[in-house]
């Protein structure tokens, strides 16, 4: 190992002896580059760096901050909700939703050029050409909570319990319908994943299904009971003449209501008042 090291040392000394001027010239250039890199202002971005694919090389902190404020602090935000009961889209800007560009973090990452990197010749040029700083985002939880109240309310659809109703003179099923609601954690997570774009950003969430308390199956028995009542053959006899009561009339006498002791059940009763009115 020692002999190999001595061999390479003799080669280097021989090369320097034969190309003294060139070695001094190259060494001087490299030294000058390193000095220039150490002298480069710490409060400016490196030449050729990009911010979200836009050139911002050699700009000051103030210039970068103003760019971020002008282009990214009021970005349009559209929330898209897809749900079992309804779909909706709601527009605002990122600020009310609690999002803002993280200016301090972006500046820190853009200007990052530690001393050990400055020791490497031409590292500033290489880093500047390859650096593309993403837009970092801060999240304001209090603002988000205020924003979420309105969005969650707009998303929510109350489920509709199944029932039995009289329609066009017949007893029919009033079918149950699913409702929906959006979860704040899902909305928060989607907003935090967004990458800001000056022209606008889109957030997509799915609403959860909320099942009705009383399903169609729960009212099958009462539906059949009410339909059977209207199928009865009832007639009034006056002066030896029979006057049949129509199915529609029988249906209009029914009172179908929710059982006060069990919301999953219905009660079927007969209303005396319309019967009296009919007889008079």
């Amino acid at each position: 190992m020692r002999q190999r090291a001595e061999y390479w040392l003799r080669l280097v000394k021989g090369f320097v002896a034969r190309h003294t001027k060139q070695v001094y010239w190259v060494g001087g250039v490299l030294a000058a580059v390193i000095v220039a890199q150490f002298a480069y202002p710490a409060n400016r971005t490196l030449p050729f760096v990009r911010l979200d694919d836009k050139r911002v090389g050699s700009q000051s902190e103030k210039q970068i901050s103003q760019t971020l404020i002008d282009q990214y602090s009021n970005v349009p935000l559209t929330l898209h909700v897809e749900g079992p009961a309804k779909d909706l889209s709601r527009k605002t800007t990122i600020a009310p939703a609690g999002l803002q560009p993280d200016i301090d973090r972006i500046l820190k990452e853009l200007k990052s050029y530690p001393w050990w990197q400055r020791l490497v010749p031409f590292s500033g040029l290489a880093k500047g050409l390859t650096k593309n700083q993403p837009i970092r985002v801060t999240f304001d939880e209090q603002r988000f909570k205020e924003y979420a109240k309105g969005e969650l309310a707009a998303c929510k659809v109350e489920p509709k319990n199944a029932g039995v109703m009289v329609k066009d003179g017949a007893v029919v099923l009033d079918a149950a319908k699913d409702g929906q609601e959006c979860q704040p954690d899902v909305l928060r997570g989607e907003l935090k994943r967004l990458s800001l774009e000056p022209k606008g950003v889109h957030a997509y969430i799915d609403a959860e299904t909320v099942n009705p308390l009383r399903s169609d199956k729960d009212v099958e028995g009462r539906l059949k009971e009410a339909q059977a009542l209207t199928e009865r053959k009832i007639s009034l006899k006056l002066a030896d003449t029979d006057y049949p009561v129509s199915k529609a009339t029988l249906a209009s006498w029914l009172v179908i209501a929710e059982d006060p002791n069990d919301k999953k059940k219905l009660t079927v009763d007969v209303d005396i008042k319309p019967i009296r009115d009919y007889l008079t």
Side-chain angles (χ1 to χ4, degrees), residues 1 26 105 123 126-128 150 183 244:
M1 180 66 70
V26 171
R105 183 180 175 188
S123 60
K127 186 170 184 177
Q183 297 300 325

Side-chain angles (χ1 to χ4, degrees), residues 33 37 46 113 116-128:
V33 169
Q37 290 179 166
L46 289 170
Y113 190 28
W116 57 268
Q117 289 182 355
R118 295 177 185 242
L119 284 172
V120 181
F122 302 106
S123 60
L125 178 62
K127 186 170 184 177

Side-chain angles (χ1 to χ4, degrees), residues 26-44:
V26 171
V29 170
L30 296 179
V33 169
I34 293 174
V35 170
Q37 290 179 166
F38 269 97
Y40 193 82
N43 63 348
R44 284 189 175 272

Side-chain angles (χ1 to χ4, degrees), residues 98-109:
L99 298 174
Q100 279 291 288
D102 192 341
I103 297 177
D104 291 339
R105 183 180 175 188
I106 293 171
L107 287 174
K108 182 179 179 180
E109 293 180 358

Side-chain angles (χ1 to χ4, degrees), residues 129-273:
L129 289 172
T130 57
K131 178 72 172 178
N132 184 20
Q133 174 66 37
I135 303 298
R136 307 296 187 186
V137 178
T138 61
F139 191 79
D140 187 322
E141 184 65 26
Q142 189 57 44
R143 281 192 174 187
F144 166 76
K145 288 180 179 179
E146 293 299 320
Y147 165 76
K149 287 180 183 178
E151 302 311 300
L152 299 182
C155 165
K156 189 172 184 178
V157 176
E158 293 290 348
K160 177 178 174 293
N161 288 329
V164 176
M165 65 179 181
V166 177
K167 183 178 180 181
D168 299 329
V171 176
V172 296
L173 172 68
D174 185 10
K177 292 182 180 179
D178 288 336
Q180 70 179 43
E181 63 182 9
C182 294
Q183 297 300 325
D185 289 343
V186 174
L187 178 57
R188 181 187 290 105
E190 177 64 12
L191 293 180
K192 286 186 174 182
R193 284 191 292 268
L194 291 178
S195 297
L196 297 187
E197 297 287 344
K199 292 183 179 180
V201 291
H202 296 262
Y204 298 87
I205 62 172
D206 293 325
E208 293 183 355
T209 300
V210 179
N211 296 317
L213 179 65
R214 187 170 60 243
S215 67
D216 293 352
K217 188 175 182 179
D218 292 328
V219 301
E220 283 180 356
R222 292 306 185 200
L223 175 62
K224 291 178 181 178
E225 178 186 344
Q227 289 174 334
L229 289 173
T230 61
E231 295 295 337
R232 291 183 178 182
K233 303 300 182 181
I234 298 177
S235 60
L236 299 178
K237 189 171 184 179
L238 297 174
D240 297 326
T241 302
D242 289 333
Y243 295 93
V245 180
S246 68
K247 182 177 178 179
T249 300
L250 289 174
S252 69
W253 293 349
L254 297 179
V255 178
I256 304 165
E258 186 177 86
D259 189 329
N261 299 317
D262 188 349
K263 292 186 177 182
K264 290 189 69 175
K265 296 180 180 180
L266 296 176
T267 60
V268 178
D269 207 345
V270 177
D271 191 349
I272 300 299
K273 185 178 184 303

